[in-house]
Amino acid sequence: MNIGDQINGLRTEGERIAVAGGELALNASVPTCPGWNVKDLLTHIGTVHRWAAAIVGEALPYDPRKQEFQRIVGPLPHDDLLVDWVREGLLRLAATLEAAPSGLQCWQMFPSESSRRFWVRRQAHETTIHRVDAEQARGDEISPICPEFAADGIDELLLGFHGRPSSRVRALRPSVLHIHATDLPPGRGDWYIHPTDTGPLVTFSEVETPHCVIEGPVELLYLALWNRLPFDDLLVRGDPALLHLWRNYSAVRWVDPVDV
């Protein structure tokens, strides 16, 4: 997707989080993030934006969470200033990504054609997913997500995060989970997940008959695969064990070990 469009989307989605955060009580629960309240959500997004801005802006060749986290994030603000702090981090990140050179080389969580493109994409999806969290906390209907962007987010999740050795989506018995987007053209809306004992492999064409098929609009697939919506509004056919495997072991967590 176009980098400029993704940065603009990042700004829009981040502002939606700030607006919702300003309207909600900080101790209000966030249904899509069990154990979190709105303060936790705002603190997380403000922290992640500053972390990413430091990696890109300083072209860091390592993950600074282990050594320099306090320096790059700084002290957390008083509760009354938390929303302003989130907006400040958002604007800093967007400006840093816009100014980053196309040939930027810095640390990233998994391979990409360029570090700049990696971080623009990663933060656009990070912010969009947490915007959904904020809307769910407010009890809103979820704002629409562009089909192209949703498909890209499924690519990132399956090929990026679950292409790493740390993926917990594993199975000893060979099986295939087919994800089918009903509103995308042939050749673009199909993902075949093959869990193995070392992590999942992903193909874009059928190499063996799927054991389970999940299909529906790509926006709903994106949110369900990112564990932001239940699979109830999607058509699920076949072995339910594969759906349970995904639900129980696919979550991407901030505290997970970092490997590349």
Side-chain angles (χ1 to χ4, degrees), residues 86-137:
V86 167
R87 283 194 171 102
E88 177 188 315
L90 169 69
L91 295 176
R92 182 190 306 173
L93 173 61
T96 300
L97 292 172
E98 282 184 329
S102 59
L104 173 71
Q105 294 186 3
C106 62
W107 181 84
Q108 56 198 59
M109 286 174 274
F110 42 81
S112 175
E113 60 188 82
S114 77
S115 291
R116 184 184 185 224
R117 183 168 290 277
F118 170 88
W119 283 107
V120 170
R121 178 199 209 192
R122 173 81 290 277
Q123 290 307 302
H125 287 294
E126 175 82 8
T127 307
T128 299
I129 290 296
H130 287 308
R131 179 267 289 173
V132 172
D133 294 331
E135 289 180 339
Q136 297 278 56

Short mmCIF file of all heavy atoms in Angstrom, two decimals, residues 86-137:
data_model
loop_
_atom_site.label_atom_id
_atom_site.label_comp_id
_atom_site.label_asym_id
_atom_site.label_seq_id
_atom_site.Cartn_x
_atom_site.Cartn_y
_atom_site.Cartn_z
N VAL A 86 -0.71 11.12 24.50
CA VAL A 86 -0.93 10.21 23.38
C VAL A 86 -0.87 10.97 22.06
O VAL A 86 -0.23 10.52 21.09
CB VAL A 86 -2.30 9.49 23.53
CG1 VAL A 86 -2.68 8.78 22.23
CG2 VAL A 86 -2.24 8.49 24.67
N ARG A 87 -1.53 12.12 21.99
CA ARG A 87 -1.51 12.91 20.75
C ARG A 87 -0.09 13.36 20.41
O ARG A 87 0.31 13.34 19.24
CB ARG A 87 -2.41 14.13 20.90
CG ARG A 87 -3.89 13.84 20.78
CD ARG A 87 -4.68 15.12 20.60
NE ARG A 87 -6.08 14.84 20.26
CZ ARG A 87 -7.08 14.91 21.12
NH1 ARG A 87 -6.86 15.26 22.39
NH2 ARG A 87 -8.32 14.63 20.73
N GLU A 88 0.66 13.75 21.39
CA GLU A 88 2.04 14.20 21.16
C GLU A 88 2.87 13.06 20.57
O GLU A 88 3.64 13.24 19.62
CB GLU A 88 2.65 14.67 22.47
CG GLU A 88 4.10 15.10 22.37
CD GLU A 88 4.71 15.37 23.75
OE1 GLU A 88 4.05 16.03 24.56
OE2 GLU A 88 5.84 14.89 24.00
N GLY A 89 2.73 11.85 21.13
CA GLY A 89 3.48 10.70 20.61
C GLY A 89 3.06 10.33 19.21
O GLY A 89 3.89 9.97 18.36
N LEU A 90 1.76 10.44 18.92
CA LEU A 90 1.24 10.16 17.59
C LEU A 90 1.82 11.11 16.55
O LEU A 90 2.31 10.69 15.49
CB LEU A 90 -0.28 10.26 17.60
CG LEU A 90 -0.99 10.25 16.25
CD1 LEU A 90 -0.88 8.89 15.60
CD2 LEU A 90 -2.46 10.65 16.41
N LEU A 91 1.80 12.40 16.84
CA LEU A 91 2.31 13.39 15.90
C LEU A 91 3.81 13.24 15.69
O LEU A 91 4.32 13.37 14.57
CB LEU A 91 1.99 14.80 16.40
CG LEU A 91 0.49 15.14 16.45
CD1 LEU A 91 0.28 16.53 17.06
CD2 LEU A 91 -0.13 15.07 15.07
N ARG A 92 4.52 12.91 16.77
CA ARG A 92 5.97 12.71 16.65
C ARG A 92 6.26 11.51 15.76
O ARG A 92 7.15 11.55 14.90
CB ARG A 92 6.58 12.50 18.04
CG ARG A 92 8.11 12.33 18.02
CD ARG A 92 8.63 11.88 19.37
NE ARG A 92 8.20 12.75 20.47
CZ ARG A 92 8.43 12.48 21.76
NH1 ARG A 92 9.06 11.36 22.10
NH2 ARG A 92 8.04 13.31 22.69
N LEU A 93 5.53 10.43 15.94
CA LEU A 93 5.74 9.24 15.13
C LEU A 93 5.44 9.51 13.67
O LEU A 93 6.22 9.16 12.78
CB LEU A 93 4.86 8.09 15.63
CG LEU A 93 4.86 6.83 14.77
CD1 LEU A 93 6.24 6.22 14.67
CD2 LEU A 93 3.85 5.81 15.30
N ALA A 94 4.30 10.14 13.38
CA ALA A 94 3.93 10.41 11.99
C ALA A 94 4.98 11.29 11.31
O ALA A 94 5.37 11.03 10.16
CB ALA A 94 2.56 11.07 11.94
N ALA A 95 5.45 12.32 12.00
CA ALA A 95 6.46 13.21 11.43
C ALA A 95 7.78 12.47 11.20
O ALA A 95 8.46 12.67 10.18
CB ALA A 95 6.68 14.41 12.36
N THR A 96 8.13 11.58 12.12
CA THR A 96 9.36 10.81 11.99
C THR A 96 9.29 9.86 10.80
O THR A 96 10.25 9.72 10.03
CB THR A 96 9.62 10.00 13.28
OG1 THR A 96 9.76 10.91 14.38
CG2 THR A 96 10.89 9.18 13.18
N LEU A 97 8.16 9.22 10.62
CA LEU A 97 7.99 8.30 9.48
C LEU A 97 8.01 9.05 8.15
O LEU A 97 8.57 8.57 7.16
CB LEU A 97 6.69 7.52 9.64
CG LEU A 97 6.64 6.52 10.80
CD1 LEU A 97 5.24 5.96 10.98
CD2 LEU A 97 7.64 5.38 10.58
N GLU A 98 7.40 10.23 8.13
CA GLU A 98 7.41 11.03 6.90
C GLU A 98 8.82 11.46 6.54
O GLU A 98 9.19 11.49 5.36
CB GLU A 98 6.52 12.25 7.08
CG GLU A 98 5.04 11.95 6.96
CD GLU A 98 4.17 13.18 7.04
OE1 GLU A 98 4.55 14.15 7.74
OE2 GLU A 98 3.10 13.18 6.40
N ALA A 99 9.62 11.79 7.54
CA ALA A 99 10.97 12.31 7.29
C ALA A 99 12.00 11.20 7.06
O ALA A 99 13.11 11.48 6.61
CB ALA A 99 11.41 13.17 8.47
N ALA A 100 11.65 9.96 7.36
CA ALA A 100 12.62 8.87 7.26
C ALA A 100 13.03 8.65 5.81
O ALA A 100 12.19 8.69 4.90
CB ALA A 100 12.01 7.59 7.82
N PRO A 101 14.31 8.41 5.56
CA PRO A 101 14.76 8.16 4.18
C PRO A 101 14.27 6.82 3.67
O PRO A 101 14.07 5.88 4.44
CB PRO A 101 16.29 8.18 4.31
CG PRO A 101 16.56 7.81 5.73
CD PRO A 101 15.42 8.37 6.54
N SER A 102 14.10 6.72 2.37
CA SER A 102 13.61 5.47 1.79
C SER A 102 14.60 4.33 2.01
O SER A 102 14.21 3.17 2.08
CB SER A 102 13.35 5.65 0.29
OG SER A 102 14.53 6.06 -0.38
N GLY A 103 15.88 4.66 2.13
CA GLY A 103 16.90 3.64 2.34
C GLY A 103 17.20 3.36 3.80
O GLY A 103 18.23 2.75 4.11
N LEU A 104 16.34 3.78 4.69
CA LEU A 104 16.54 3.58 6.12
C LEU A 104 16.82 2.11 6.45
O LEU A 104 16.15 1.21 5.94
CB LEU A 104 15.30 4.03 6.89
CG LEU A 104 15.26 3.73 8.39
CD1 LEU A 104 16.24 4.60 9.14
CD2 LEU A 104 13.85 3.90 8.94
N GLN A 105 17.81 1.90 7.30
CA GLN A 105 18.09 0.56 7.82
C GLN A 105 18.09 0.65 9.34
O GLN A 105 18.88 1.38 9.93
CB GLN A 105 19.43 0.04 7.31
CG GLN A 105 19.47 -0.21 5.81
CD GLN A 105 20.77 -0.86 5.36
OE1 GLN A 105 21.64 -1.18 6.16
NE2 GLN A 105 20.89 -1.06 4.06
N CYS A 106 17.18 -0.08 9.96
CA CYS A 106 17.12 -0.11 11.42
C CYS A 106 16.51 -1.43 11.84
O CYS A 106 16.10 -2.25 11.01
CB CYS A 106 16.30 1.07 11.95
SG CYS A 106 14.57 1.09 11.42
N TRP A 107 16.42 -1.63 13.15
CA TRP A 107 15.86 -2.87 13.67
C TRP A 107 14.39 -2.99 13.31
O TRP A 107 13.65 -2.00 13.31
CB TRP A 107 16.02 -2.89 15.20
CG TRP A 107 15.49 -4.15 15.81
CD1 TRP A 107 16.14 -5.34 15.93
CD2 TRP A 107 14.18 -4.35 16.37
NE1 TRP A 107 15.32 -6.27 16.52
CE2 TRP A 107 14.11 -5.68 16.80
CE3 TRP A 107 13.07 -3.52 16.53
CZ2 TRP A 107 12.97 -6.22 17.40
CZ3 TRP A 107 11.93 -4.04 17.13
CH2 TRP A 107 11.89 -5.38 17.56
N GLN A 108 13.97 -4.19 13.00
CA GLN A 108 12.56 -4.46 12.73
C GLN A 108 12.26 -5.89 13.15
O GLN A 108 13.18 -6.71 13.30
CB GLN A 108 12.23 -4.24 11.25
CG GLN A 108 13.09 -5.05 10.29
CD GLN A 108 13.04 -4.51 8.87
OE1 GLN A 108 13.38 -3.36 8.61
NE2 GLN A 108 12.61 -5.36 7.94
N MET A 109 11.00 -6.20 13.36
CA MET A 109 10.63 -7.48 13.97
C MET A 109 10.65 -8.64 13.00
O MET A 109 10.75 -9.80 13.41
CB MET A 109 9.24 -7.36 14.61
CG MET A 109 9.26 -6.57 15.90
SD MET A 109 7.59 -6.29 16.53
CE MET A 109 7.17 -4.79 15.63
N PHE A 110 10.50 -8.38 11.72
CA PHE A 110 10.58 -9.43 10.71
C PHE A 110 10.93 -8.77 9.38
O PHE A 110 10.84 -7.55 9.24
CB PHE A 110 9.29 -10.25 10.62
CG PHE A 110 8.02 -9.45 10.68
CD1 PHE A 110 7.52 -8.80 9.56
CD2 PHE A 110 7.31 -9.34 11.87
CE1 PHE A 110 6.35 -8.07 9.63
CE2 PHE A 110 6.14 -8.61 11.94
CZ PHE A 110 5.66 -7.97 10.81
N PRO A 111 11.35 -9.54 8.39
CA PRO A 111 11.84 -8.96 7.14
C PRO A 111 10.80 -8.14 6.40
O PRO A 111 9.59 -8.40 6.47
CB PRO A 111 12.26 -10.19 6.32
CG PRO A 111 12.53 -11.24 7.34
CD PRO A 111 11.53 -11.00 8.43
N SER A 112 11.28 -7.15 5.68
CA SER A 112 10.44 -6.30 4.84
C SER A 112 11.33 -5.73 3.76
O SER A 112 12.56 -5.75 3.88
CB SER A 112 9.82 -5.18 5.67
OG SER A 112 9.09 -4.28 4.86
N GLU A 113 10.71 -5.20 2.69
CA GLU A 113 11.52 -4.66 1.59
C GLU A 113 12.31 -3.44 2.00
O GLU A 113 13.31 -3.10 1.39
CB GLU A 113 10.64 -4.34 0.39
CG GLU A 113 9.55 -3.32 0.67
CD GLU A 113 8.60 -3.18 -0.50
OE1 GLU A 113 7.68 -4.00 -0.62
OE2 GLU A 113 8.79 -2.25 -1.30
N SER A 114 11.87 -2.72 3.06
CA SER A 114 12.63 -1.61 3.60
C SER A 114 12.18 -1.37 5.03
O SER A 114 11.04 -1.66 5.40
CB SER A 114 12.44 -0.33 2.78
OG SER A 114 11.20 0.28 3.07
N SER A 115 13.09 -0.83 5.85
CA SER A 115 12.76 -0.56 7.25
C SER A 115 11.68 0.52 7.35
O SER A 115 10.80 0.46 8.22
CB SER A 115 14.01 -0.12 8.02
OG SER A 115 14.91 -1.20 8.17
N ARG A 116 11.75 1.53 6.48
CA ARG A 116 10.73 2.57 6.54
C ARG A 116 9.35 1.99 6.25
O ARG A 116 8.38 2.27 6.95
CB ARG A 116 11.05 3.69 5.55
CG ARG A 116 10.06 4.86 5.64
CD ARG A 116 10.33 5.90 4.58
NE ARG A 116 9.46 7.06 4.73
CZ ARG A 116 8.84 7.67 3.74
NH1 ARG A 116 9.00 7.21 2.49
NH2 ARG A 116 8.08 8.71 3.95
N ARG A 117 9.27 1.21 5.20
CA ARG A 117 7.98 0.61 4.85
C ARG A 117 7.50 -0.31 5.96
O ARG A 117 6.30 -0.35 6.27
CB ARG A 117 8.09 -0.15 3.53
CG ARG A 117 6.77 -0.75 3.06
CD ARG A 117 6.86 -1.24 1.63
NE ARG A 117 6.96 -0.13 0.69
CZ ARG A 117 5.92 0.56 0.23
NH1 ARG A 117 4.70 0.28 0.67
NH2 ARG A 117 6.10 1.53 -0.63
N PHE A 118 8.41 -1.06 6.58
CA PHE A 118 8.02 -1.94 7.68
C PHE A 118 7.36 -1.15 8.79
O PHE A 118 6.28 -1.52 9.27
CB PHE A 118 9.24 -2.68 8.25
CG PHE A 118 8.94 -3.41 9.54
CD1 PHE A 118 8.45 -4.70 9.51
CD2 PHE A 118 9.09 -2.77 10.76
CE1 PHE A 118 8.13 -5.36 10.69
CE2 PHE A 118 8.77 -3.42 11.95
CZ PHE A 118 8.29 -4.72 11.91
N TRP A 119 8.00 -0.06 9.24
CA TRP A 119 7.49 0.66 10.41
C TRP A 119 6.23 1.45 10.09
O TRP A 119 5.36 1.59 10.95
CB TRP A 119 8.58 1.54 11.01
CG TRP A 119 9.53 0.71 11.82
CD1 TRP A 119 10.81 0.37 11.49
CD2 TRP A 119 9.25 0.07 13.06
NE1 TRP A 119 11.35 -0.44 12.46
CE2 TRP A 119 10.42 -0.64 13.44
CE3 TRP A 119 8.13 0.02 13.89
CZ2 TRP A 119 10.49 -1.38 14.63
CZ3 TRP A 119 8.20 -0.72 15.07
CH2 TRP A 119 9.37 -1.40 15.42
N VAL A 120 6.10 1.97 8.88
CA VAL A 120 4.85 2.63 8.51
C VAL A 120 3.71 1.63 8.56
O VAL A 120 2.65 1.88 9.16
CB VAL A 120 4.96 3.26 7.11
CG1 VAL A 120 3.59 3.73 6.61
CG2 VAL A 120 5.93 4.44 7.12
N ARG A 121 3.92 0.50 7.95
CA ARG A 121 2.88 -0.54 7.93
C ARG A 121 2.56 -1.04 9.33
O ARG A 121 1.39 -1.15 9.72
CB ARG A 121 3.37 -1.70 7.06
CG ARG A 121 2.42 -2.87 6.97
CD ARG A 121 3.17 -4.12 6.49
NE ARG A 121 2.33 -5.04 5.75
CZ ARG A 121 2.70 -6.27 5.44
NH1 ARG A 121 3.91 -6.70 5.77
NH2 ARG A 121 1.90 -7.07 4.77
N ARG A 122 3.61 -1.34 10.11
CA ARG A 122 3.39 -1.91 11.44
C ARG A 122 2.61 -0.96 12.34
O ARG A 122 1.69 -1.34 13.05
CB ARG A 122 4.76 -2.24 12.07
CG ARG A 122 4.71 -2.70 13.53
CD ARG A 122 4.34 -4.17 13.65
NE ARG A 122 2.97 -4.47 13.29
CZ ARG A 122 1.91 -4.35 14.10
NH1 ARG A 122 2.07 -3.90 15.33
NH2 ARG A 122 0.72 -4.68 13.69
N GLN A 123 2.98 0.33 12.30
CA GLN A 123 2.30 1.28 13.18
C GLN A 123 0.91 1.64 12.68
O GLN A 123 0.02 1.95 13.47
CB GLN A 123 3.16 2.52 13.37
CG GLN A 123 4.41 2.26 14.21
CD GLN A 123 4.07 1.59 15.55
OE1 GLN A 123 3.31 2.14 16.34
NE2 GLN A 123 4.63 0.41 15.79
N ALA A 124 0.69 1.57 11.38
CA ALA A 124 -0.66 1.79 10.86
C ALA A 124 -1.61 0.70 11.35
O ALA A 124 -2.73 0.98 11.78
CB ALA A 124 -0.65 1.82 9.33
N HIS A 125 -1.16 -0.54 11.32
CA HIS A 125 -2.02 -1.64 11.80
C HIS A 125 -2.10 -1.65 13.32
O HIS A 125 -3.18 -1.90 13.88
CB HIS A 125 -1.51 -2.98 11.26
CG HIS A 125 -1.78 -3.17 9.81
ND1 HIS A 125 -3.06 -3.28 9.29
CD2 HIS A 125 -0.94 -3.24 8.74
CE1 HIS A 125 -2.99 -3.43 7.98
NE2 HIS A 125 -1.71 -3.41 7.62
N GLU A 126 -1.01 -1.40 13.98
CA GLU A 126 -1.04 -1.32 15.46
C GLU A 126 -2.08 -0.31 15.92
O GLU A 126 -2.90 -0.58 16.81
CB GLU A 126 0.35 -0.90 15.98
CG GLU A 126 0.42 -0.66 17.47
CD GLU A 126 0.61 -1.94 18.27
OE1 GLU A 126 0.83 -3.00 17.66
OE2 GLU A 126 0.54 -1.87 19.51
N THR A 127 -2.08 0.84 15.29
CA THR A 127 -2.98 1.92 15.71
C THR A 127 -4.42 1.62 15.32
O THR A 127 -5.35 1.91 16.07
CB THR A 127 -2.50 3.25 15.11
OG1 THR A 127 -1.10 3.43 15.44
CG2 THR A 127 -3.28 4.42 15.68
N THR A 128 -4.62 1.03 14.15
CA THR A 128 -5.97 0.67 13.73
C THR A 128 -6.59 -0.36 14.67
O THR A 128 -7.76 -0.23 15.09
CB THR A 128 -5.97 0.12 12.30
OG1 THR A 128 -5.48 1.14 11.41
CG2 THR A 128 -7.36 -0.29 11.86
N ILE A 129 -5.84 -1.38 15.02
CA ILE A 129 -6.36 -2.42 15.91
C ILE A 129 -6.71 -1.82 17.27
O ILE A 129 -7.76 -2.14 17.86
CB ILE A 129 -5.34 -3.56 16.05
CG1 ILE A 129 -5.25 -4.36 14.74
CG2 ILE A 129 -5.69 -4.47 17.22
CD1 ILE A 129 -6.54 -5.08 14.35
N HIS A 130 -5.87 -0.92 17.77
CA HIS A 130 -6.18 -0.33 19.08
C HIS A 130 -7.28 0.72 18.98
O HIS A 130 -7.97 0.98 19.98
CB HIS A 130 -4.91 0.21 19.72
CG HIS A 130 -4.00 -0.88 20.21
ND1 HIS A 130 -4.45 -1.89 21.03
CD2 HIS A 130 -2.67 -1.13 20.00
CE1 HIS A 130 -3.45 -2.72 21.31
NE2 HIS A 130 -2.37 -2.29 20.68
N ARG A 131 -7.48 1.30 17.82
CA ARG A 131 -8.67 2.15 17.62
C ARG A 131 -9.93 1.33 17.79
O ARG A 131 -10.93 1.76 18.39
CB ARG A 131 -8.62 2.82 16.24
CG ARG A 131 -9.84 3.70 15.95
CD ARG A 131 -10.92 2.94 15.23
NE ARG A 131 -10.55 2.64 13.85
CZ ARG A 131 -11.29 1.87 13.07
NH1 ARG A 131 -12.40 1.31 13.51
NH2 ARG A 131 -10.90 1.61 11.82
N VAL A 132 -9.91 0.10 17.27
CA VAL A 132 -11.04 -0.80 17.44
C VAL A 132 -11.26 -1.08 18.93
O VAL A 132 -12.40 -1.09 19.41
CB VAL A 132 -10.83 -2.11 16.66
CG1 VAL A 132 -11.90 -3.13 16.99
CG2 VAL A 132 -10.79 -1.82 15.16
N ASP A 133 -10.18 -1.28 19.67
CA ASP A 133 -10.30 -1.48 21.11
C ASP A 133 -10.99 -0.29 21.78
O ASP A 133 -11.86 -0.46 22.64
CB ASP A 133 -8.91 -1.67 21.73
CG ASP A 133 -8.22 -2.94 21.29
OD1 ASP A 133 -8.93 -3.93 20.99
OD2 ASP A 133 -6.99 -2.96 21.24
N ALA A 134 -10.58 0.92 21.39
CA ALA A 134 -11.16 2.13 21.98
C ALA A 134 -12.64 2.24 21.65
O ALA A 134 -13.45 2.61 22.51
CB ALA A 134 -10.40 3.37 21.49
N GLU A 135 -13.00 1.93 20.42
CA GLU A 135 -14.42 1.99 20.04
C GLU A 135 -15.24 0.94 20.79
O GLU A 135 -16.37 1.21 21.21
CB GLU A 135 -14.56 1.81 18.53
CG GLU A 135 -14.06 3.01 17.74
CD GLU A 135 -14.18 2.84 16.24
OE1 GLU A 135 -14.28 1.68 15.77
OE2 GLU A 135 -14.19 3.86 15.53
N GLN A 136 -14.68 -0.23 20.96
CA GLN A 136 -15.38 -1.27 21.71
C GLN A 136 -15.57 -0.86 23.16
O GLN A 136 -16.61 -1.14 23.77
CB GLN A 136 -14.60 -2.59 21.62
CG GLN A 136 -14.46 -3.16 20.22
CD GLN A 136 -15.68 -3.94 19.78
OE1 GLN A 136 -16.80 -3.43 19.78
NE2 GLN A 136 -15.47 -5.19 19.37
N ALA A 137 -14.57 -0.20 23.73
CA ALA A 137 -14.68 0.27 25.11
C ALA A 137 -15.79 1.31 25.23
O ALA A 137 -16.45 1.41 26.28
CB ALA A 137 -13.35 0.84 25.58
#
